[in-house]
Amino acid sequence: MKNLFSNMTDDQYIDYINNKKKEFGKSLAILAHHYQNYDIVKLGDVVGDSYKLAVEGSKSEAEFIVFCGVRFMAEGAKILANAKQKVLIPDIMAGCPMADMINIDLAQKAYDILSKRSNKKIRPVVYMNSYADMKHFCGTLDGSVCTSSNAKKIVEYYLNKGESVFFFPDYNLGINTAVLLNIDKDTASINKNLQIVGDVSNSKMILWDGYCHVHKTFTISDIENLKRQYENIKIIVHPECSKEVAALSDVVGSTEQIYKAVKEAESGSIMGIGTEGSFVERLSKDFPDKTILHLKDSRCFNMLKITLKNLAHSIQSIIDNQNAGTPLKFEIPEVALYKEGAKKALNKMIDIVEGGK
Ligand code: CIZ
Ligand code: SF4
């Protein structure tokens, strides 16, 4: 790695990355998650949520996919990628505390307890925000992955078969989905000590009690404060926020849905947004004719671990690997042990959403 990288300015990194993008052409794809900072998003060939990025990456002709997001997302892209595609992440330490709140051992124990207590077949559904072991766990039990855009559709699919859904790791996405399906009174929850709250026997959804600290921080008073200051304000929040916050909001949606709602709002609209702060900041830059306010400025420090510098380093590593045969750094390791089940659960989601099967 050339030392020249350590002293470059942001503009120099941006020039370097843009030049390399031109040289690589279609063999390099930079995927940028909505929660990335503005400079990184501008360098993305595709910008989107984790689902869109994983699918677009796998469909692309790129041999090298550099995933600007957190590790579980890059892992999702790797699972769907073809055998020739290499997926890199500029900082392997970009984790997600929510994804760490459950593991296969705990999930299996919880599933066994719930299966004994329930009158129905228990089907596991895991939020995209999870590692490959959890996706694999779902795949092997004929369950599915879901995202915040399609959780309602996925859960409904299993409820329509007369089954009960064990949903993890995010409690809030689970309960907000239950509210949409009008079954929030028919839910129970279970925590990492395997303590159960509620009656599992007849529950339609049993929720793990994980959470996202970035979204948990939004409160009812944040909404009330903004409403006091701006009479006509619309409140838009992510479903990882609490049920109480969601209930006071005009729109509850995933990042893709929030982006669309802001884009489609009339010029001059005032909106208070409750989701990751870098994304909210970008909305205000992309739509300068609208007033976009943070419900509270809450950042995901793991997303911020991806920088112009380590993105440039990832690209340089591909070049060094091609020119001098040095090892390709920043590559997401193969998730061989969990790949089959994880792929099955991801494909199940795609089938339900795209095929209505
Ligand atoms: O699925 C994603 O990318 C995340 C983290 C949130 C969302 O709503 O898109
Ligand atoms: Fe994880 Fe929350 Fe960061 Fe998303 S915003 S990556 S759920 S910590």
Side-chain angles (χ1 to χ4, degrees):
M1 196 76 55
K2 291 188 184 106
N3 282 336
L4 123 111
F5 266 139
S6 342
N7 299 320
M8 277 165 50
T9 63
D10 281 0
D11 284 344
Q12 286 171 320
Y13 281 124
I14 292 171
D15 285 346
Y16 170 85
I17 295 163
N18 274 322
N19 285 336
K20 295 301 167 199
K21 279 179 64 165
K22 279 195 202 113
E23 283 169 33
F24 273 99
K26 287 193 172 156
S27 65
L28 171 71
I30 297 179
L31 308 183
H33 189 265
H34 281 308
Y35 294 164
Q36 289 293 296
N37 76 38
Y38 200 69
D39 286 341
I40 304 252
V41 164
K42 291 290 149 213
L43 291 164
D45 296 296
V46 189
V47 179
D49 65 6
S50 53
Y51 170 73
K52 176 175 165 186
L53 296 178
V55 173
E56 295 287 320
S58 69
K59 284 185 186 163
S60 80
E61 294 168 36
E63 185 187 347
F64 300 100
I65 295 171
V66 183
F67 200 108
C68 299
V70 294
R71 200 166 67 246
F72 75 76
M73 296 178 175
E75 206 182 64
K78 173 81 186 166
I79 292 164
L80 290 184
N82 68 45
K84 287 193 196 128
Q85 290 180 311
K86 296 187 170 59
V87 180
L88 288 80
I89 182 165
D91 186 346
I92 193 80
M93 296 309 284
C96 168
M98 182 209 278
D100 288 329
M101 288 176 187
I102 192 162
N103 58 46
I104 198 161
D105 185 42
L106 274 173
Q108 185 66 56
K109 284 187 179 134
Y111 177 82
D112 292 344
I113 294 171
L114 299 175
S115 294
K116 276 194 199 120
R117 293 211 193 167
S118 176
N119 296 329
K120 299 187 197 128
K121 175 82 197 155
I122 300 277
R123 202 63 75 179
V125 171
V126 66
Y127 187 20
M128 190 77 176
N129 298 21
S130 58
Y131 290 108
D133 59 340
M134 299 313 305
K135 294 186 175 86
H136 167 83
F137 174 79
C138 287
T140 53
L141 291 164
D142 284 330
S144 175
V145 175
C146 77
T147 67
S148 39
S149 318
N150 62 31
K152 177 171 175 261
K153 202 163 185 175
I154 305 286
V155 172
E156 205 167 25
Y157 170 86
Y158 291 110
L159 296 184
N160 287 342
K161 287 169 169 264
E163 296 172 348
S164 177
V165 167
F166 172 30
F167 189 94
F168 44 84
D170 189 29
Y171 179 88
N172 284 343
L173 177 61
I175 196 72
N176 285 322
T177 304
V179 169
L180 289 179
L181 291 164
N182 209 9
I183 57 158
D184 50 315
K185 302 254 175 344
D186 305 315
T187 60
S189 68
I190 182 161
N191 67 17
K192 66 177 189 312
N193 299 316
L194 304 174
Q195 287 161 333
I196 292 173
V197 178
D199 168 26
V200 169
S201 55
N202 289 307
S203 286
K204 294 189 173 159
M205 277 179 95
I206 302 118
L207 314 172
W208 192 253
D209 77 343
Y211 62 89
C212 165
H213 65 93
V214 176
H215 288 88
K216 204 182 172 177
T217 177
F218 301 113
T219 60
I220 292 174
S221 24
D222 293 333
I223 298 182
E224 287 169 349
N225 284 342
L226 280 187
K227 282 192 171 170
R228 261 195 299 276
Q229 292 174 62
Y230 304 92
E231 208 187 325
N232 296 323
I233 194 165
K234 289 263 175 296
I235 304 294
I236 304 179
V237 301
H238 193 276
E240 287 169 26
C241 295
S242 73
K243 179 182 164 192
E244 292 72 26
V245 163
L248 277 185
S249 303
D250 299 284
V251 177
V252 183
S254 68
T255 50
E256 292 281 316
Q257 290 160 340
I258 293 175
Y259 195 89
K260 189 164 178 275
V262 172
K263 188 176 178 182
E264 288 172 0
E266 271 177 34
S267 183
S269 307
I270 305 173
M271 287 164 277
I273 320 269
T275 189
E276 203 282 329
S278 303
F279 180 46
V280 179
E281 196 177 297
R282 174 157 64 91
L283 289 169
S284 62
K285 287 187 175 144
D286 284 358
F287 304 105
D289 59 324
K290 298 162 196 178
T291 304
I292 314 285
L293 303 162
H294 293 276
L295 215 49
K296 183 185 265 158
D297 191 354
S298 178
R299 306 270 164 156
C300 175
F301 62 86
N302 277 291
M303 285 282 173
L304 293 173
K305 286 180 182 164
I306 310 302
T307 60
L308 290 169
K309 184 175 174 176
N310 57 29
L311 173 55
H313 278 167
S314 312
I315 297 172
Q316 179 66 40
S317 164
I318 301 171
I319 297 165
D320 290 346
N321 174 261
Q322 288 180 328
N323 292 348
T326 52
L328 184 60
K329 294 183 191 159
F330 307 99
E331 194 179 357
I332 278 281
E334 187 65 71
V335 281
L337 191 58
Y338 300 122
K339 187 158 180 164
E340 206 186 306
K343 197 166 181 165
K344 192 173 166 208
L346 279 164
N347 282 327
K348 182 74 186 174
M349 164 176 73
I350 296 170
D351 283 350
I352 298 172
V353 173
E354 291 178 9
K357 289 180 213 162

